[in-house]
Amino acid sequence: MEKRETDNGRAYWQNYDPQLPVNIMVIGKTVCEPGYFVQRKHSSISAFEYIESGSGFLQVNEKKYTPCAGCAVILPKGSSHRYYTDKQNRWKKRWVVFDSDILTNLADFYLPGSEYCFHDCDLSDAFCELEEIADNYADDYSAMCDAAAVVLYKMIITVKRAVEDKSADVCKKICADIHAFTGKHFSLDLLCAKYGYSKNHIIRIFRERYGITPYKYYIDNKMRTAKLYLRNTDLSVEEIAHRLGFEDAHYFSAYFKSTNGISPLKYRKNRT
């Protein structure tokens, strides 16, 4: 079921050539009417969309999003999706429908798996470039598809860089959260809820950034803090264990020795 009441698009369905690595089917823009609603099951095509303004709801397979201005949306071939605009803040968006195994594989390689909506991705220049290509190659479908393929690749890279920038920012925030966890129980579930990512995604981006998992960073930070206490204070091992959230001094001492090769008391004795 589809409803596009204010569409402006260039259609190329009749030119589809299975021998081409990239086929462009439609390049268009939509100013959504209040009843705008789209639903597809096991889509036979792929699409990139860029939200210029407004907000709405999107579901791709099991993932749900609220795309707003500046969001890039990827609707992959084979996915089931539905989306509709906020009636009070209607979408204005640009989009391209295409079919290409090569571009699908590139998107799978560069972008997070099972993610379909990406914030802070400015694709406006890319869509302007697509429209210029459509004008310049109006009588040569194959050449138009070749030129458009380069732009679609640049879109993927733009989204990739936005994801990397956001991941770096999220990783910095996770580090700050972990420091706040130093004397408490570590909870990856809380981090997932706070940042809206799965456990696997948080672990992956954190490891890519710092080379270790968030939990390993948490443990390492506990040990760094323990060493600071042992070197620079007269707190007892029991007090340090309590401040760092360990169950008891014995468990803390055993863990400290397992990670540092020496007991807390010997470490304190050998401090310089």
Side-chain angles (χ1 to χ4, degrees):
M1 177 179 180
E2 301 186 26
K3 187 171 184 180
R4 285 195 176 108
E5 296 187 6
T6 314
D7 274 1
N8 180 11
R10 305 172 191 238
Y12 303 95
W13 299 95
Q14 71 278 9
N15 301 111
Y16 186 92
D17 183 350
Q19 301 302 312
L20 294 177
V22 177
N23 273 275
I24 303 297
M25 272 80 113
V26 193
I27 300 171
K29 58 181 69 174
T30 301
V31 178
C32 298
E33 297 298 325
Y36 178 89
F37 176 83
V38 175
Q39 179 168 309
R40 301 186 187 95
K41 291 186 177 181
H42 311 298
S43 178
S44 60
I45 49 84
S46 298
F48 285 166
E49 298 195 351
Y50 175 61
I51 310 299
E52 294 185 313
S53 61
S55 60
F57 171 83
L58 165 69
Q59 180 173 350
V60 184
N61 298 327
E62 301 302 317
K63 301 299 287 287
K64 297 179 181 180
Y65 306 93
T66 53
C68 56
C71 283
V73 172
I74 297 178
L75 304 174
K77 184 176 181 178
S79 66
S80 295
H81 45 261
R82 64 188 182 98
Y83 48 98
Y84 52 85
T85 188
D86 183 326
K87 294 179 181 180
Q88 303 302 319
N89 186 23
R90 292 176 286 159
W91 277 328
K92 179 181 178 183
K93 59 181 183 171
R94 306 176 81 162
W95 42 273
V96 55
V97 176
F98 63 95
D99 186 25
S100 171
D101 290 339
I102 291 175
L103 289 173
T104 297
N105 290 336
L106 285 171
D108 289 342
F109 179 79
Y110 282 120
L111 304 179
S114 301
E115 292 294 335
Y116 308 102
C117 181
F118 305 91
H119 289 264
D120 302 319
C121 298
D122 189 355
L123 300 182
S124 53
D125 288 345
F127 274 99
C128 288
E129 191 173 352
L130 279 181
E131 291 186 353
E132 290 177 5
I133 288 170
D135 289 335
N136 294 335
Y137 296 98
D139 299 320
D140 191 337
Y141 177 72
S142 179
M144 187 271 289
C145 288
D146 288 343
V150 176
V151 178
L152 292 176
Y153 174 72
K154 288 195 292 187
M155 287 184 182
I156 293 172
I157 297 303
T158 297
V159 175
K160 169 182 175 286
R161 289 172 178 166
V163 168
E164 289 174 343
D165 289 344
K166 184 176 181 182
S167 293
D169 184 54
V170 168
C171 287
K172 289 179 182 178
K173 291 178 180 178
I174 289 174
C175 284
D177 291 334
I178 289 174
H179 283 281
F181 282 145
T182 298
K184 304 175 184 176
H185 174 68
F186 176 81
S187 174
L188 189 56
D189 289 330
L190 286 178
L191 293 177
C192 292
K194 182 174 182 177
Y195 297 107
Y197 289 134
S198 68
K199 291 181 180 179
N200 287 339
H201 184 68
I202 282 183
I203 291 171
R204 182 179 64 79
I205 63 174
F206 198 88
R207 183 186 282 126
E208 288 175 353
R209 183 77 175 170
Y210 298 111
I212 57 177
T213 65
Y215 183 73
K216 182 64 166 58
Y217 186 93
Y218 164 75
I219 290 298
D220 288 350
N221 184 59
K222 271 185 181 290
M223 293 300 99
R224 285 192 296 269
T225 306
K227 289 176 181 178
L228 288 173
Y229 280 137
L230 291 167
R231 288 198 306 264
N232 300 292
T233 76
D234 293 322
L235 292 172
S236 69
V237 171
E238 288 80 5
E239 288 173 315
I240 294 173
H242 177 73
R243 290 195 178 197
L244 294 179
F246 284 90
E247 294 177 3
D248 54 53
H250 177 74
Y251 179 67
F252 165 67
S253 297
Y255 197 92
F256 187 95
K257 186 174 182 179
S258 70
T259 57
N260 297 284
I262 189 173
S263 71
L265 289 177
K266 286 187 178 179
Y267 180 86
R268 170 172 275 171
K269 184 177 180 181
N270 294 340
R271 67 185 178 181
T272 57

